[in-house]
Amino acid sequence: MAEQEITATEIKDETLEEYYEQSIVPPFHRCYHIKPFNVVFSKNYPRHHQFIQDFEVFKDDVFVSTFPKSGTRWLQELIWCMRHKNGIEKAKSKDLDERVPHFELPFVMDSKSIEEDKSYLLNGINNLSRPRTLKTHLPFPMLPKGVQEKGAKIVYCYRNPRDTMLSLFNFMKLIQNYTGTMELYSDVFLKGLTPYYLPYFSQVLGYWNRRSQENLLVLCYEEMQKDLPSVVRKIASFLDIEMTDEEVLKLCHHTSFDQMKKNPHVNVLKGLKMYDGQYLNKGKVGQWKDHFSEELIQKFELFEREGLKGTDLEFVFEL
């Protein structure tokens, strides 16, 4: 069977153009629809698709996957520390982005050449000592073929769309100097125009609907906030890691929000020379209630009803 053609078509939309005007968005960060995957991504993706698909995956690799701003760094730190002896102490001497690199990073940035991008994977990720833990926001169908062929494990975490959008809004004010309103940002989010990895439901349901697979564990961000020790034990069981109750509590303290926010190896933007700031904001569940107008709540309720139709996925909006 012939391989499907992978195409990138720039998104032309007045609302998105208004967003661009109120942000510092480099040309390479303009948004494109990638077909046939129905995802918003970089124009560079099609030329890298086959290389990503053929990337060598090992059975003991673990992919930490989320939609952006859904507990990614929290999960990265948790899993890396769990998978390494004396992980908490070792984590204090090396930045999280070096220990758990962002797998597809060069394909969302401005790349000078295909060879430069390949070098990131071949010389960067491949030089990591095993077992490797890798971060990704890729939709499930875009993961390397070897993930399924080798049975590498995936830990996926989703977050309710209201707090996700609010966190993205605050993040874009930081990294793209966005000066527009939350209402405008919510419009481009709900319409699936920006940021990368939208549409939201396409990404989340792509994992949720496969949650019965043996190599996939699906977690809920709000569940992590409510009872982190139970989630840590669930992850440990999935990854075949034995942990004592004392080790669980110690890891939960190390990865508590207050500790993570103070940790310079975790709460920092690396590799983004044009930006300066921190990743972590507040991380609380239900912050949307303090910021959403009644009109915006109604827009999200409609968005959620339509997106959840025919599924058994449910969101937690407050604790």
Side-chain angles (χ1 to χ4, degrees), residues 110-254:
D110 188 19
S111 56
K112 296 178 182 177
S113 69
I114 295 177
E115 296 308 315
E116 182 182 84
D117 293 343
K118 289 180 178 178
S119 175
Y120 172 83
L121 294 182
L122 296 176
N123 299 325
I125 292 178
N126 276 353
N127 285 338
L128 289 175
S129 59
R130 293 171 60 186
R132 304 183 303 188
T133 305
L134 305 175
K135 162 190 168 180
T136 185
H137 297 307
L138 287 174
F140 191 95
M142 295 170 74
L143 293 173
K145 291 182 295 186
V147 173
Q148 292 302 104
E149 293 171 354
K150 299 290 181 63
K153 292 185 176 180
I154 309 162
V155 180
Y156 181 79
C157 186
Y158 68 92
R159 185 182 191 183
N160 80 68
R162 303 179 196 185
D163 283 327
T164 298
M165 187 284 293
L166 181 59
S167 185
L168 280 166
F169 167 67
N170 290 323
F171 191 56
M172 293 307 166
K173 289 193 291 184
L174 172 66
I175 71 166
Q176 291 188 346
N177 196 31
Y178 175 62
T179 58
T181 65
M182 185 173 63
E183 285 69 25
L184 173 60
Y185 189 80
S186 67
D187 281 348
V188 295
F189 176 88
L190 292 172
K191 292 173 72 174
L193 302 175
T194 191
Y196 290 164
Y197 305 105
L198 285 171
Y200 171 85
F201 277 107
S202 177
Q203 208 261 19
V204 172
L205 291 175
Y207 285 89
W208 175 259
N209 291 337
R210 294 175 172 89
R211 66 192 184 282
S212 62
Q213 292 187 185
E214 291 185 0
N215 67 326
L216 173 61
L217 175 66
V218 176
L219 302 172
C220 171
Y221 178 88
E222 292 78 16
E223 181 185 1
M224 292 175 67
Q225 287 279 7
K226 183 179 180 180
D227 188 357
L228 185 57
S230 292
V231 174
V232 167
R233 292 185 181 96
K234 184 183 295 185
I235 297 171
S237 176
F238 176 68
L239 299 179
D240 299 316
I241 297 171
E242 293 185 3
M243 296 184 70
T244 66
D245 289 343
E246 182 181 358
E247 289 171 332
V248 169
L249 293 178
K250 187 176 180 181
L251 181 58
C252 289
H253 174 73
H254 172 71

Side-chain angles (χ1 to χ4, degrees), residues 3 25 32 37 51 68 76 88 92 116 180-181 199 221 226 230-231 259 265 315:
E3 291 185 2
V25 180
Y32 288 71
F37 298 109
F51 182 74
Q76 287 174 257
I88 293 176
K92 294 176 181 178
E116 182 182 84
T181 65
Y221 178 88
K226 183 179 180 180
S230 292
V231 174
Q259 291 298 312
H265 293 292
F315 294 123

